[in-house]
Amino acid sequence: MIEVTGLKKKFKLTKDHKKNKVDKIDPREDKDYFHSVRDVSFHCNKGEVLGLLGPNGAGKTTTLRMISTALKPDEGQIIIAGEDIIKKPLFGRKSIGFLSGSTGLYGRLTVKENIEYFAKLHGMSKDAIRSRCEELFDLLDMHSFIDKRADNLSTGMKQKANIARAVVHHPAVVVLDEPTTGLDIMTTQTVIEFIKRLKAQGTPVIFSTHHLDEVALLCDRVAVINEGISCFDGSLDEFKKVGKSDELNQAFMNILTEKNNV
């Protein structure tokens, strides 16, 4: 289980930004800071998939980067297995498998060399690495390109390799930032089936997406962030009820509209 409570993160505004301000000011800006995440809370239990939703610029990626320990929150808690990973970031890095658009592979190494390298960073033994790599190469249908350099991979191949890199150490929680963006139908289906397998194994999965058909297919829970604030956290059925629609796109828009009018 992972429990996120009261996360906040602000960034200092540059002099150029303050000098070139337009009339329409983002409500998250004050005199000196941009409050990217103002109050975000949600949780994901064992064997659940949580869809993290929100408009572009809502604070989703900043939230996920804090969960990954790449950013340190100004306030809040992130609890995994009873431990606050803000206070114990090394424990967090060992516990989380994280994939985002900004995490990549070493281009001069082959796919197999990349995965083995990251497994070694997690302290895995040679036998464990060999066994885990074979398992992942089978599950993600990667055998045809494991000896290719990462620089020479297609978008779909890179994403499969990145997912393998993220989960090679059997993480307690998996966090995926828009894992199917830019992928073809076949690769998207492989990723979806892999998420289903993680769920069946009892691994909590958090993934952000703009594709609500993926939410309908995969998710037990939904969390919605808008302008850096949580405006929904609950089951998929509760999401439809609060959003007053069985159609997820409409439910999402209704929740955003209602919160904006509060």
Side-chain angles (χ1 to χ4, degrees):
M1 175 181 178
I2 177 170
E3 186 170 2
V4 175
T5 307
L7 286 189
K8 297 182 181 181
K9 184 65 180 178
K10 63 185 179 183
F11 299 95
K12 194 169 182 63
L13 294 172
T14 64
K15 291 181 180 179
D16 286 342
H17 180 88
K18 289 189 282 186
K19 182 179 179 181
N20 298 318
K21 273 190 176 181
V22 295
D23 291 336
K24 188 177 180 181
I25 299 175
D26 191 301
R28 288 175 288 177
E29 288 186 22
D30 61 22
K31 182 179 179 182
D32 296 310
Y33 291 93
F34 179 75
H35 297 261
S36 177
V37 174
R38 297 188 282 173
D39 187 4
V40 167
S41 300
F42 56 82
H43 72 276
C44 186
N45 296 317
K46 184 177 180 180
E48 288 184 338
V49 177
L50 179 139
L52 186 62
L53 308 179
N56 287 330
K60 302 187 301 297
T61 295
T62 300
T63 296
L64 295 182
R65 289 187 69 197
M66 286 190 282
I67 293 173
S68 76
T69 74
L71 285 177
K72 185 176 181 179
D74 298 323
E75 294 183 36
Q77 288 185 320
I78 305 168
I79 306 296
I80 298 176
E83 300 285 355
D84 187 344
I85 67 170
I86 298 171
K87 296 178 180 177
K88 295 184 176 181
L90 183 58
F91 176 83
R93 289 173 198 132
K94 290 180 178 179
S95 301
I96 292 172
F98 180 69
L99 170 69
S100 80
S102 60
T103 54
L105 305 167
Y106 292 104
R108 294 174 65 89
L109 298 181
T110 67
V111 169
K112 186 177 181 181
E113 288 168 342
N114 267 284
I115 309 308
E116 289 175 343
Y117 172 72
F118 283 99
K120 289 175 184 176
L121 289 181
H122 285 289
M124 295 174 64
S125 68
K126 287 184 178 180
D127 288 343
I129 291 172
R130 187 181 305 109
S131 174
R132 181 60 167 162
C133 283
E134 284 299 313
E135 178 186 13
L136 290 172
F137 296 158
D138 285 340
L139 290 174
L140 291 167
D141 191 21
M142 295 172 60
H143 284 286
S144 63
F145 59 88
I146 59 173
D147 293 319
K148 284 188 176 183
R149 283 189 177 183
D151 274 344
N152 299 327
L153 301 178
S154 68
T155 299
M157 291 174 182
K158 283 182 179 178
Q159 192 68 328
K160 287 183 179 182
N162 272 320
I163 291 172
R165 172 194 55 75
V167 302
V168 68
H169 59 300
H170 293 284
V173 177
V174 173
V175 179
L176 307 172
D177 191 1
E178 299 187 14
T180 61
T181 297
L183 303 185
D184 61 35
I185 294 173
M186 295 300 293
T187 307
T188 295
Q189 189 59 37
T190 300
V191 174
I192 287 172
E193 291 301 321
F194 189 71
I195 293 173
K196 287 181 178 179
R197 185 178 180 86
L198 290 170
K199 177 180 176 178
Q201 292 172 343
T203 304
V205 178
I206 298 170
F207 80 101
S208 69
T209 182
H210 292 293
H211 303 294
L212 293 184
D213 56 329
E214 294 176 359
V215 173
L217 183 64
L218 294 169
C219 290
D220 306 280
R221 300 184 59 81
V222 176
V224 180
I225 302 173
N226 190 31
E227 294 182 343
I229 297 175
S230 292
C231 53
F232 179 82
D233 175 33
S235 69
L236 192 59
D237 287 339
E238 290 168 340
F239 179 73
K240 296 175 184 177
K241 184 176 180 180
V242 173
K244 301 175 183 177
S245 177
D246 286 332
E247 196 210 327
L248 297 189
N249 283 299
Q250 190 59 54
F252 173 67
M253 294 304 299
N254 290 344
I255 287 172
L256 291 184
T257 300
E258 181 178 333
K259 294 301 178 181
N260 286 336
N261 291 334
V262 172

